[in-house]
Amino acid sequence: MRISVLALLSLAFAYPASAACNKDILSITAWSIKPVNTQTNELTVTMTYNGAKPSKMIDATFGFTDALGGRIAAAAVNRDLKVEPGESFTQVGKWGTNTFERLLTLDRDDVQAETCVRSILLRDGSKETFN
């Protein structure tokens, strides 16, 4: 139960509906989900950093919507992301019921994966914010 409550609280703040963002700096190249037990699923998401300069920190989320545009779930990208342009990275998380489990039953063709970058700190010290 603790996983579910924490996951729901994190989702409530991770994917603001009205926040402006850049959807191109990070792209989801692969994702998978599998049940760990009756209470937990493991979600693996691979993303590619499409920025022009190396990153030092990022305020971003990844999420999934269904074919009708309904939000399935979202979560924060590792905030201390340090990657080079063109580099891919994988984020793995364990989630309780009532979060990402709908991905277990939907056809992949009916799922849209997306990212939302609100701001990024680059290793050269510059910062980009998307309003």
Side-chain angles (χ1 to χ4, degrees):
M1 181 65 169
R2 179 180 291 164
I3 292 175
S4 295
V5 171
L6 293 175
L8 288 173
L9 287 174
S10 119
L11 293 175
F13 296 103
Y15 207 63
S18 62
C21 60
N22 181 309
K23 295 186 177 200
D24 299 319
I25 291 177
L26 290 178
S27 56
I28 296 175
T29 55
W31 63 270
S32 64
I33 188 167
K34 64 181 180 183
V36 174
N37 56 44
T38 59
Q39 298 295 314
T40 309
N41 296 307
E42 182 179 273
L43 177 66
T44 302
V45 179
T46 301
M47 293 172 260
T48 299
Y49 173 59
N50 302 310
K53 297 178 181 179
S55 75
K56 184 175 182 180
M57 190 181 298
I58 193 164
D59 177 13
T61 55
F62 65 87
F64 300 90
T65 56
D66 65 24
L68 297 176
R71 188 178 304 167
I72 296 169
V77 172
N78 177 4
R79 193 169 182 89
D80 298 321
L81 182 66
K82 293 172 179 64
V83 290
E84 298 290 327
E87 186 177 348
S88 292
F89 61 95
T90 300
Q91 188 165 312
V92 179
K94 289 191 170 51
W95 298 91
T97 56
N98 300 316
T99 52
F100 290 98
E101 83 280 351
R102 198 165 160 227
L103 295 174
L104 292 167
T105 58
L106 286 173
D107 290 337
R108 287 184 80 85
D109 291 340
D110 293 334
V111 176
Q112 175 68 39
E114 60 188 14
T115 62
C116 174
V117 177
R118 288 173 293 284
S119 61
I120 185 167
L121 178 63
L122 303 170
R123 284 191 215 155
D124 66 6
S126 62
K127 179 182 172 183
E128 292 184 56
T129 301
F130 307 99
N131 295 326

